[in-house]
Amino acid sequence: MKRIIPILVVLIVMFSFFSCEKKEEAEEVKTEKPVELTYSIFFPATHLQAQTAEAWAKEIEKRTEGRVKIVIFAGGTLTKAAQCYEGVVSGIADIGMSVFAYTRGRFPLLEGLDLPVGYPDGITATRTANEMVKKYQPEELDDVHVLYLHAHGPGILASKKRVEKIEDLASMKIRATGLSSKIVTALGAVPISMSQGDTYESLQKGVVDATFCPIETLKGWKQGEVIDYVIDTKAIGYTTSMFVVMNKDKWNALPEDIQKIFTEVSEEWIEKQGNAWDQSDAEGESYVKELGKTFVTLEDSQQQALIDAMEPLYTEYVAASEEKGLPAGDFLKDIQKILRN
């Protein structure tokens, strides 16, 4: 009996030790800090695109059961729109959403996404952008991990003057920036570069006669108040493609199961973000109609004249990109093929 007691004592001590160890391990797992990531978005927090992005972040948090927490900095408060991509590369932000065209020349192949090829709506532009990046895997995106892309609906011409044929555009002063400036020049008009914030007053005072923009802008920036006509130029509907990318080191540090969740949610948000653009366009169109503005649909011959006028832009893009050894010709043909189907 005396021999049994020491053995029992030893067993009790060992059991207590292992029980405490397991308890500590459980508590450690339970109190494990979530991975905290910063997300820089150039849209203001009130914009539907920022709200859709916030819903994406909350869905990531939900599906990871709180193992990931994403802190959003909207309105360019962490990195300005033009510095957003580089901010992700350098680690200032872990995730970023902005516009490829804000750093022109850095994404020579992807500039083809913004060409005036006749995008009918935002969801088509968004799907096309994602499909092309998945197919071509452009090296210009190798310094980040791409989560997904999205793109706005077709740019239209909002004008103080009635336009029924391409000749009516001659010498008109049209607000345009970046690629849309080239569109204006190709149509024989005069491009005037300015921010959206300055466009309302410039239209009001006659500094410009018209503006190229997605129709949602006419509500979002109230520009519908100071124009009289909306010209349907969807035949050459251009878009502006936008990225949602993640710092590569941050991505590689995530466990595989969390990476899978990011990928799954991002795939779902391609549709949600594209539909959000179409929702904004629908609201913009309703707003302008309520203001009693006139919508002008061009005759088929004039629609074709718009298309023909864009050929030099396609040629210029292909030549410039192929000089750099990029498959721009095939890239453009694939976009056009998607839009035909």
Side-chain angles (χ1 to χ4, degrees), residues 103-178:
T103 47
R104 293 197 70 82
R106 180 161 187 165
F107 308 101
L109 184 63
L110 295 180
E111 285 180 12
L113 293 173
D114 294 355
L115 288 170
V117 290
Y119 292 106
D121 48 47
I123 188 63
T124 300
T126 295
R127 288 171 179 164
T128 301
N130 283 280
E131 186 172 336
M132 295 302 291
V133 166
K134 288 175 183 175
K135 178 175 180 178
Y136 282 85
Q137 298 290 310
E139 290 184 8
E140 56 209 58
L141 293 175
D142 280 353
D143 46 8
V144 295
H145 176 78
V146 178
L147 292 165
Y148 66 100
L149 274 57
H150 60 100
H152 68 59
I156 50 85
L157 183 67
S159 175
K160 295 173 70 71
K161 298 181 178 180
R162 189 178 185 93
V163 174
E164 293 184 336
K165 54 186 183 298
I166 195 168
E167 288 79 11
D168 294 339
L169 295 167
S171 300
M172 277 181 62
K173 295 173 291 183
I174 300 176
R175 180 266 174 196
T177 58

Side-chain angles (χ1 to χ4, degrees), residues 163-202:
V163 174
E164 293 184 336
K165 54 186 183 298
I166 195 168
E167 288 79 11
D168 294 339
L169 295 167
S171 300
M172 277 181 62
K173 295 173 291 183
I174 300 176
R175 180 266 174 196
T177 58
L179 177 66
S180 60
S181 295
K182 295 183 179 181
I183 296 173
V184 170
T185 300
L187 294 173
V190 180
I192 307 293
S193 179
M194 69 180 64
S195 69
Q196 288 290 4
D198 294 330
T199 303
Y200 183 102
E201 185 177 358
S202 294

Side-chain angles (χ1 to χ4, degrees), residues 35 64 67-68 251 254-263:
V35 176
T64 60
R67 293 167 63 197
V68 172
W251 171 259
L254 293 177
E256 285 187 17
D257 62 322
I258 290 183
Q259 288 182 344
K260 184 180 178 183
I261 290 170
F262 267 83
T263 300

Side-chain angles (χ1 to χ4, degrees), residues 233-287:
T233 55
K234 289 182 182 177
I236 56 169
Y238 70 92
T239 190
T240 302
S241 50
M242 303 168 210
F243 56 79
V244 181
V245 297
M246 186 170 180
N247 177 273
K248 212 160 191 178
D249 290 337
K250 287 287 186 177
W251 171 259
N252 291 332
L254 293 177
E256 285 187 17
D257 62 322
I258 290 183
Q259 288 182 344
K260 184 180 178 183
I261 290 170
F262 267 83
T263 300
E264 290 172 349
V265 175
S266 296
E267 191 69 25
E268 294 171 19
W269 249 250
I270 291 172
E271 298 294 307
K272 292 181 184 293
Q273 211 86 49
N275 285 329
W277 280 115
D278 288 343
Q279 180 183 331
S280 295
D281 277 351
E283 292 173 359
E285 183 173 337
S286 295
Y287 173 76

Side-chain angles (χ1 to χ4, degrees), residues 15-43:
F15 178 77
S16 299
F17 174 78
F18 286 118
S19 294
C20 290
E21 190 176 57
K22 287 184 178 180
K23 184 178 180 181
E24 288 174 1
E25 287 177 357
E27 288 178 351
E28 186 178 339
V29 170
K30 188 176 180 180
T31 59
E32 181 183 353
K33 289 185 178 180
V35 176
E36 189 168 296
L37 301 171
T38 56
Y39 188 178
S40 177
I41 300 173
F42 84 105
F43 288 107

